[in-house]
Amino acid sequence: MLGRLPERVDIYEVGPRDGLQNELRTLPVRDKARLIDALVASGEKRIEVTSFVSPKWIPQLADAEELLRLVGRREGVTFSALVPNLKGLERAKAAGLEEAAVFISASEAHSKKNINKSIAEAIATAREVTEAALKAGMRVRGYLSTVWGCPYEGEVPVERVVEISRQLVDGGLYQLSLGDTIGVGTPRQTEQILDALLEYIPVEKLALHLHDTRGTALANTLVGLGKGVTTLDASIGGLGGCPYAPGAAGNLATEDVVYMLHGMGVQTGIDLDKLVAAGELAQELIGRKLAGKYLQAALGERAKKESRRAQT
Ligand code: HMG
Ligand code: MG
């Protein structure tokens, strides 16, 4: 029933960016660096560490330059960051980033709220940033938000998703990540969206960026794997959300998806126990229990074992 699954899947970690942009309290920059260290130690190879956006819009990530100075470079690991415009690209270049991520929306209202631009203006800016980044020798990833639905407009026509995606990919992105920004997607819809896109875009160029607001992220992931998608965005402990998308909850938790993949024999190169250690650190730094189910199960089991040991 599942069909053929890929042998290996790449996890693209968005916790330090998507997660921390949405926390009310700004984490001290040294704590962010500790969290990134723990993610690297777990074997994660692609990590979106911050955003070079306006600090007035996202004050939680205003320390992007300092954070990149602290984390430096790691052999075999690619750090990336969101870049909304040429100003952001200049900052990312100066910070020594090798990869940038442009982001636009498939719905007008979310586009306006999130980046103060219409979709057409946003496509033009994303293409301009992509061209300049490629010239500077960087790789460029892209996001298309609200693909499964918009918090302001509701349904988003799949034809529009296909049209915008084609324009973005034509601009030179190495990968386009499809965002279920507010986690409304269901599996049949995911199948329809992917089938429509795969008529024009090779599957290697697509990634899934699923928020787990309504608990459907893993089910949608499975549909994506069956269609040949091999890059999945995820966030440690299930941190995440978009401050300009009311109702957006955390991303698919990295530990949950890695557990599912390993259990089906799909490799990720990530050590699940070390990922739990990173999740535990994230909880400690943020100061509350995170939503990730595997994380809570693993920590609960450990606590039970420890209490049994203490009794004997
Ligand atoms: P604006 O106010 O229209 O821009 O914002 P502006 O060009 O008029 O500039 C306003 C001020 O910001 C100026 O400073 C600029 O210099 C400064 P002032 O003269 O007032 O002192 N500025 C910048 N400063 C630093 N870095 C920059 C930058 N650009 C301008 N790059 C803008 C437009 C795009 C800048 C703003 O709307 C913005 O930063 N938006 C980002 C919002 C954001 O980060 N949202 C969350 C990420 S998206 C998401 O979470 C979805 C995703 O996860 C996928 C999914 O789930 O679907 C990716
Ligand atoms: Mg997101």
Side-chain angles (χ1 to χ4, degrees), residues 17-18 21 51-58 82 84-85 87-88 91 103 110 114-117 143-146 179-181 209 211 241-244 251:
R17 191 280 300 171
D18 208 336
Q21 76 181 9
S51 297
F52 289 96
V53 296
S54 161
K56 287 182 188 146
W57 286 62
I58 307 282
L82 287 192
N85 51 22
K87 180 166 183 160
R91 292 177 59 203
F103 55 108
H110 182 256
N114 197 37
I115 52 171
N116 201 20
K117 288 184 178 67
Y143 286 101
L144 185 58
S145 288
T146 66
D180 187 2
T181 315
H209 177 99
H211 286 259
C242 174
Y244 298 99
N251 291 78

